Amino acid sequence: MSTQLIFQSHLILGYVAWLLCFSVYVWPRLKSMDRFEAQRVIATVHSFRFFGLAFILPGVVGSNLPASFATFAAYGDFATGVLALLALLAVRIRPLFWLFVVAFNVVGIADLLIDYYHAVRVDLPAHAEELGALYAIPIIYVPVLMITHCVAFYLLVRPQLKATRSLQKPEMSAG
């Protein structure tokens, strides 16, 4: 089996596994939370994206990993991670929190889409060995990042369900 086919299979299976896991364990919990708490959970997941800087760390990835892919992936992840951390630090200032939530999701999903574009342009699947120790990032971590960005946007535009109290008077018992 070719390196390209293995990488593409891993990527597809990463999405399948995360979608199954997410639909059973994560999505029911997130949709039962209020919008603020759900976005805090998603921001926490993305706050670790500072780790993407490892794409430009000598010795971690192969020396032939295309810089056009590695550099953008590294700094896009870093920017997203910092914005997610800022959202978490701003939880007590709600308008600022929401600004950072939107910012890290816009920057983050743009980063992932542009990374996919760069990966296709440089034929990354055929040279997946150049990812070295970071091979697991596009296979295991990126699918959950993309899924959580999509969920974050859905939760941002979904009407917030509010608890309503019954306005009816309790029935009087005949006693």
Side-chain angles (χ1 to χ4, degrees):
M1 191 178 277
S2 72
T3 301
Q4 185 172 8
L5 188 56
I6 292 170
F7 181 83
Q8 290 169 336
S9 297
H10 282 162
L11 184 61
I12 290 167
L13 292 172
Y15 271 96
V16 171
W18 272 116
L19 284 167
L20 290 170
C21 178
F22 201 86
S23 66
V24 173
Y25 300 106
V26 180
W27 178 238
R29 179 81 167 118
L30 281 179
K31 72 180 181 180
S32 72
M33 295 177 167
D34 76 347
R35 190 182 314 222
F36 172 76
E37 287 301 323
Q39 292 293 354
R40 271 180 81 179
V41 170
I42 293 169
T44 301
V45 171
H46 288 270
S47 69
F48 290 92
R49 286 180 71 174
F50 61 84
F51 184 71
L53 283 176
F55 277 114
I56 56 173
L57 192 59
V60 175
V61 295
S63 59
N64 292 324
L65 184 65
S68 62
F69 170 80
T71 303
F72 193 89
Y75 288 110
D77 273 349
F78 180 68
T80 304
V82 168
L83 290 167
L85 286 167
L86 290 171
L88 293 171
L89 291 169
V91 294
R92 293 180 190 245
I93 307 166
R94 294 290 173 99
L96 195 55
F97 169 80
W98 289 111
L99 175 71
F100 285 127
V101 163
V102 171
F104 91 76
N105 279 293
V106 169
V107 170
I109 204 162
D111 169 55
L112 295 177
L113 292 172
I114 294 168
D115 289 346
Y116 277 126
Y117 170 77
H118 285 150
V120 169
R121 284 202 58 199
V122 301
D123 196 18
L124 186 65
H127 308 288
E129 70 278 359
E130 293 298 327
L131 289 166
L134 298 186
Y135 182 87
I137 288 180
I139 304 307
I140 296 172
Y141 196 40
V142 167
V144 77
L145 296 176
M146 183 64 84
I147 292 165
T148 54
H149 278 309
C150 292
V151 167
F153 284 122
Y154 171 77
L155 293 173
L156 283 169
V157 300
R158 176 183 88 168
Q160 181 70 30
L161 301 175
K162 294 183 181 183
T164 57
R165 295 184 181 187
S166 176
L167 297 176
Q168 298 174 347
K169 292 182 182 179
E171 291 184 28
M172 302 291 276
S173 60

